[in-house]
Amino acid sequence: EGVRRTNAYVEAMAPWTLNKQGRKEEVAAVLYHAAEALRILAVLLSPVLAATAPKIWEQLGLGPLSAPRLGLCTTWDGLPLGTRVQKAQPLFPRIEDVEKDA
């Protein structure tokens, strides 16, 4: 549900449109809030996505997530301002519908 709500937030705020309008501060705020949500979700999902959660953490520019602890996600604004996210491959590549393409 947290991932779904974060995605809905990004879709509703449309940072790509804000960027075209020159609203850079709003773009930065939307992207920060999305990244912060992902930081918290990485910790909360680590028991069920043991291989993926550390990748999310690293892509957020936070280094290795060696021992996820709930204390890492008890407050908002845990992602330091100015942290640069890392460019990476999608964690969950889109699965194409083979029957649809045939």
Side-chain angles (χ1 to χ4, degrees):
E1 183 63 23
V3 173
R4 193 173 302 122
R5 285 179 181 242
T6 301
N7 190 54
Y9 168 75
V10 172
E11 289 288 328
M13 297 305 293
W16 48 88
T17 301
L18 296 173
N19 188 53
K20 288 179 185 177
Q21 296 169 347
R23 296 161 64 181
K24 304 293 184 191
E25 287 184 21
E26 290 175 66
V27 171
V30 170
L31 296 179
Y32 178 83
H33 292 306
E36 182 64 3
L38 289 173
R39 179 188 71 81
I40 292 169
L41 287 165
V43 174
L44 295 176
L45 292 171
S46 62
V48 292
L49 297 175
T52 305
K55 291 177 185 176
I56 295 169
W57 195 263
E58 287 186 33
Q59 288 180 11
L60 289 172
L62 297 170
L65 178 64
S66 55
R69 298 179 317 277
L70 286 178
L72 295 171
C73 65
T74 57
T75 61
W76 194 258
D77 290 331
L79 184 65
L81 289 175
T83 301
R84 297 191 57 88
V85 298
Q86 309 299 311
K87 188 172 184 172
Q89 296 296 321
L91 296 172
F92 303 102
R94 187 176 301 262
I95 298 173
E96 300 297 328
D97 187 354
V98 179
E99 291 181 20
K100 180 179 173 185
D101 292 337

